[in-house]
Amino acid sequence: MGISRFVLLVFTISMLASPALSDLVLSKVDRRIYLTSHIVRISSTLEVENAGPETVSKVLLAFPDLQAQNLAYLMASPHEAKAKVKVSVVSFPIDVVKPEDMPPGVTFYSVSLPQGLTVGASFTFDVLAVFTHALRPMPEQIGQADIQLVLYQDSAYYLSPYVVKVQSLSLKLLDSRIESYTTLESTKVQGSEIKYGPYENLPAFSSSPITVHFENNLPFAIAQELVREIEISHWGNVLVTEHYKLIHGGAQSKGEFSRLEPQARENVQGPSAVRYLVAHLPPRAHSVYYRDAIGNISTSHLRGDSKKTELLIEPRYPMFGGWRTAFTIGYGLPLQDCLYESEGRRFLNMTFSSPMIELVIDTLIVKVVLPEGSSDISAAAPFFMKQWQETKISHLDIVGRAVVVLEKTNLVPEHNQYFQVYYKFNRLSMLREPLMLISGIFFFFVACIVYMHADTSISKFSASYLAKQQWEEVRVAIQQVHNIICRCLATHDKLEASLRDLSRTGEVQACKAARKSTDGLLKELSKELKPLMTFLQSSPSAVQVLSKVEELVAKERELLEKLMAKHSTAVEAYEKKSGARDIENRIALQQQKITALRQEVDDLLEFIDEI
């Protein structure tokens, strides 16, 4: 479909072409098409001659619409002979124009010459056109181990609104393996280069479609979206964060992916897969990191010298055609390497696009975060781009930081030129954050001092305070009752111990003395318990627990009565010199009741202890 559309367009242009513009003639056209990556670069050297009666200052460039829609970069510059010393390139202004009486399906650009071309004069200049998505994979789907073949089509004749006296074309491929190519008159193949021409005396809008089907295994790395955030800190650092959404734009991968095959035959498996990317960072880049949504990716290598810093990164998995991934790289730069001052304004001077080599970017968004308090903001770049401003709230900000947002679509490495963001900034604004920190710490300590010296207790006359006080008194009384009952139980244990001594020694008098001592202790404890019970019975706050406390006291008294009865029975039996078995039988029933009562008392003590 793509081939037929292009051929049909070229045929339509040829049929509907108007007569040539009579003022100019292209004396010589030397066109070179570089197909050595997935980015197509066409370098043309044009020698233009003024054959008209008037001075001419503009030259028209023509591209078919199907080709122009993939045009990413266009530059015209003076033709320089090859020399060892490189000179700075000065480009000529280029504008999109719509001249009258021109054939449809053609996009025209106007190049403004540095000086008007007088009658009979000639001028030679170079034109660089860079195209994206111009190579079509053929076949569109390949296996994991297959090579990648691509299709490229163009015209062997230079599309021009002027008469062309002499022209030639050369296509430089990545590899000498060529599946097929269009053969015309004066066609030569030398290794990985196909040459067409020279062709002479061609009328305006001449065209002759050609198609080249060849091997290109370079990975088609395309960033569908790249967001670069450049944050300026006047404390000495510029932080750069780049978020990539990457896709392999080559032939789609078919079949199931196997990790075993690449490991077994690494040299032949996945020749067109994206295995690594190389980024050329500024020389003094530091704190470099590479991560994705999962976390840090360790497959990266960083090396550099005084001229550059090279970051080689490997995705978590080799990317085949149609596969996608997303990751983030970040680094810091010294402030003095990027920020300058001129005429009372500061300006950031950095490269606009990605540092990745041979990366096509469908959409690029650059966000420059300026220090809080910046004003009189503007941006400048050597090409058109959308721009607007936003506000970002960060730590220790009051009104937020101004953010200059720049957006451009369809970018290639040639767009990685320097751009500038100008703004004004008062040096006193740098004291804003330190003063906020100092003030915050100061007010924190003042608040602590006030809190420590303030009476935050509840009013002693409020109902809640009184209720709390009453409950505290009840809780103390219950705790005292608990302690007294525990002491009573300890006295019970002494009484039981005297019976064990009686069964071992038979000394009745010692046992009676122990009981007499126990009676005295229990009477003292009973006296201590009486006022506590009276208080609890009179306190409204003890209503919920009073029943359990009274039950505990009653059970303890019942337990004491059973112990006393057991003691009396055992002493009387020993005085009558009854046998041991007879004594055990007489107190067995009493012992069962004592054991049950003791368990009930322990349970009640545990319940009250929780209160």
Side-chain angles (χ1 to χ4, degrees):
M1 178 63 71
I3 299 174
S4 60
R5 288 179 62 193
F6 184 84
V7 172
L8 180 61
L9 178 61
V10 170
F11 177 77
T12 303
I13 295 171
S14 300
M15 295 297 295
L16 300 180
S18 301
L21 299 178
S22 58
D23 289 345
L24 295 177
V25 174
L26 293 182
S27 302
K28 184 178 180 181
V29 176
D30 183 12
R31 192 157 53 115
R32 299 166 298 281
I33 302 179
Y34 296 90
L35 304 176
T36 53
S37 72
H38 66 297
I39 302 173
V40 176
R41 294 176 172 87
I42 302 179
S43 177
S44 304
T45 300
L46 308 179
E47 183 179 345
V48 60
E49 179 183 349
N50 186 3
E54 298 179 357
T55 301
V56 178
S57 60
K58 295 182 183 294
V59 179
L60 290 180
L61 304 178
F63 296 93
D65 285 348
L66 287 178
Q67 196 177 45
Q69 66 185 5
N70 294 324
L71 180 61
Y73 183 79
L74 182 63
M75 183 184 72
S77 59
H79 177 65
E80 297 288 345
K82 294 183 179 179
K84 294 182 179 181
V85 181
K86 293 185 178 180
V87 296
S88 59
V89 177
V90 178
S91 60
F92 303 148
I94 299 179
D95 300 310
V96 179
V97 294
K98 294 182 179 180
E100 298 180 356
D101 300 328
M102 289 291 112
V106 181
T107 301
F108 292 91
Y109 296 86
S110 175
V111 178
S112 298
L113 300 179
Q115 295 179 353
L117 199 61
T118 59
V119 178
S122 63
F123 181 75
T124 303
F125 64 98
D126 295 328
V127 176
L128 174 64
V130 184
F131 299 89
T132 60
H133 308 289
L135 297 180
R136 178 185 173 190
M138 182 64 71
E140 296 181 352
Q141 292 185 344
I142 59 175
Q144 182 175 338
D146 297 338
I147 62 173
Q148 180 174 259
L149 299 175
V150 296
L151 200 69
Y152 176 75
Q153 62 182 121
D154 206 317
S155 173
Y157 302 157
Y158 179 70
L159 185 63
S160 169
Y162 313 107
V163 173
V164 181
K165 291 183 178 181
V166 179
Q167 67 167 290
S168 61
L169 169 66
S170 66
L171 290 87
K172 297 186 178 181
L173 311 181
L174 181 65
D175 194 88
S176 60
R177 177 177 175 180
I178 304 173
E179 291 290 309
S180 64
Y181 63 94
T182 302
T183 302
L184 301 175
E185 182 183 356
S186 302
T187 302
K188 297 179 182 179
V189 178
Q190 296 178 351
S192 60
E193 185 175 3
I194 304 175
K195 294 184 177 181
Y196 291 93
Y199 303 108
E200 299 179 355
N201 299 321
L202 295 176
F205 296 106
S206 297
S207 62
S208 179
I210 58 172
T211 300
V212 184
H213 191 203
F214 61 99
E215 178 180 342
N216 187 336
N217 288 316
L218 285 182
F220 285 27
I222 299 174
Q224 292 183 310
E225 183 182 75
L226 168 59
V227 179
R228 300 186 73 212
E229 184 173 288
I230 304 170
E231 185 171 351
I232 302 173
S233 172
H234 282 182
W235 294 101
N237 201 25
V238 175
L239 297 178
V240 182
T241 308
E242 300 178 353
H243 305 278
Y244 290 84
K245 292 182 180 179
L246 205 69
I247 185 174
H248 190 311
Q252 300 288 308
S253 177
K254 67 178 180 180
E256 296 183 355
F257 170 68
S258 171
R259 284 192 177 273
L260 181 60
E261 292 184 5
Q263 294 174 356
R265 303 173 62 195
E266 185 176 357
N267 59 330
V268 297
Q269 293 298 322
S272 63
V274 178
R275 299 186 179 276
Y276 62 88
L277 297 167
V278 179
H280 286 166
L281 306 181
R284 295 206 289 173
H286 60 84
S287 306
V288 182
Y289 62 86
Y290 166 45
R291 62 170 179 254
D292 60 8
I294 300 176
N296 182 61
I297 306 175
S298 59
T299 53
S300 62
H301 304 280
L302 184 69
R303 55 180 178 268
D305 50 31
S306 59
K307 296 182 179 179
K308 68 178 185 302
T309 299
E310 187 175 271
L311 174 64
L312 187 146
I313 63 176
E314 297 180 21
R316 290 188 182 272
Y317 46 84
M319 291 179 58
F320 294 90
W323 289 24
R324 304 168 186 268
T325 186
F327 59 88
T328 300
I329 66 171
Y331 51 93
L333 298 173
L335 185 66
Q336 61 270 24
D337 290 1
C338 310
L339 195 67
Y340 305 91
E341 190 169 355
S342 174
E343 299 179 357
R345 299 179 72 190
R346 302 167 189 260
F347 66 95
L348 175 76
N349 188 48
M350 286 188 65
T351 52
F352 182 74
S353 187
S354 168
M356 299 286 184
I357 298 177
E358 290 299 283
L359 179 68
V360 172
I361 305 172
D362 289 341
T363 302
L364 171 63
I365 299 175
V366 178
K367 298 183 177 181
V368 180
V369 184
L370 303 176
E372 189 176 25
S374 301
S375 60
D376 193 11
I377 302 169
S378 62
F383 38 76
F384 173 77
M385 59 189 176
K386 296 180 182 178
Q387 58 178 291
W388 65 91
Q389 291 187 19
E390 297 176 351
T391 301
K392 178 181 180 181
I393 303 295
S394 184
H395 54 278
L396 299 179
D397 287 345
I398 299 176
V399 297
R401 306 185 185 189
V403 180
V404 179
V405 184
L406 310 174
E407 181 178 351
K408 187 171 178 59
T409 57
N410 200 20
L411 288 93
V412 289
E414 281 76 7
H415 285 108
N416 201 18
Q417 303 178 32
Y418 284 92
F419 77 105
Q420 297 78 34
V421 175
Y422 298 87
Y423 64 98
K424 289 184 178 180
F425 184 77
N426 192 339
R427 294 183 183 274
L428 295 178
S429 297
M430 294 182 63
L431 301 177
R432 185 176 304 183
E433 292 183 1
L435 289 176
M436 287 181 62
L437 284 174
I438 295 171
S439 301
I441 295 172
F442 173 76
F443 286 116
F444 173 76
F445 281 107
V446 170
C448 291
I449 294 172
V450 172
Y451 175 79
M452 296 298 294
H453 289 80
D455 184 8
T456 59
S457 61
I458 302 174
S459 174
K460 297 181 179 180
F461 299 100
S462 65
S464 58
Y465 179 81
L466 295 176
K468 183 179 179 181
Q469 288 294 104
Q470 291 175 1
W471 170 249
E472 187 65 24
E473 292 174 356
V474 168
R475 193 184 65 80
V476 172
I478 292 175
Q479 184 63 40
Q480 291 177 351
V481 171
H482 181 279
N483 294 338
I484 291 173
I485 297 300
C486 289
R487 290 164 62 190
C488 290
L489 294 179
T491 305
H492 297 172
D493 293 339
K494 291 181 180 179
L495 195 59
E496 291 280 4
S498 67
L499 290 178
R500 290 193 293 272
D501 292 341
L502 177 62
S503 64
R504 188 177 67 255
T505 62
E507 296 181 0
V508 177
Q509 295 301 322
C511 187
K512 289 183 177 181
R515 175 170 178 173
K516 185 176 181 180
S517 174
T518 301
D519 288 340
L521 289 174
L522 292 173
K523 288 180 180 179
E524 292 295 329
L525 293 174
S526 179
K527 289 181 181 180
E528 294 181 14
L529 185 62
K530 187 174 181 180
L532 295 174
M533 294 301 299
T534 302
F535 168 74
L536 292 176
Q537 292 169 354
S538 62
S539 175
S541 301
V543 173
Q544 296 180 354
V545 296
L546 180 61
S547 59
K548 290 294 183 180
V549 175
E550 290 178 340
E551 183 181 358
L552 174 63
V553 174
K555 292 294 182 181
E556 189 276 331
R557 288 178 181 175
E558 185 178 356
L559 175 62
L560 179 59
E561 290 177 0
K562 298 298 182 182
L563 282 172
M564 290 300 183
K566 173 186 174 182
H567 192 276
S568 299
T569 302
V571 171
E572 182 179 350
Y574 271 99
E575 287 180 341
K576 293 181 179 182
K577 298 183 179 180
S578 300
R581 184 176 296 277
D582 183 46
I583 295 173
E584 290 180 1
N585 292 335
R586 294 179 63 182
I587 66 175
L589 183 60
Q590 294 174 329
Q591 183 60 43
Q592 291 179 1
K593 294 181 179 180
I594 290 171
T595 302
L597 287 170
R598 182 60 183 262
Q599 183 62 44
E600 292 180 6
V601 171
D602 289 341
D603 292 343
L604 290 169
L605 282 173
E606 184 177 356
F607 175 79
I608 292 175
D609 188 52
E610 293 178 356
I611 297 175

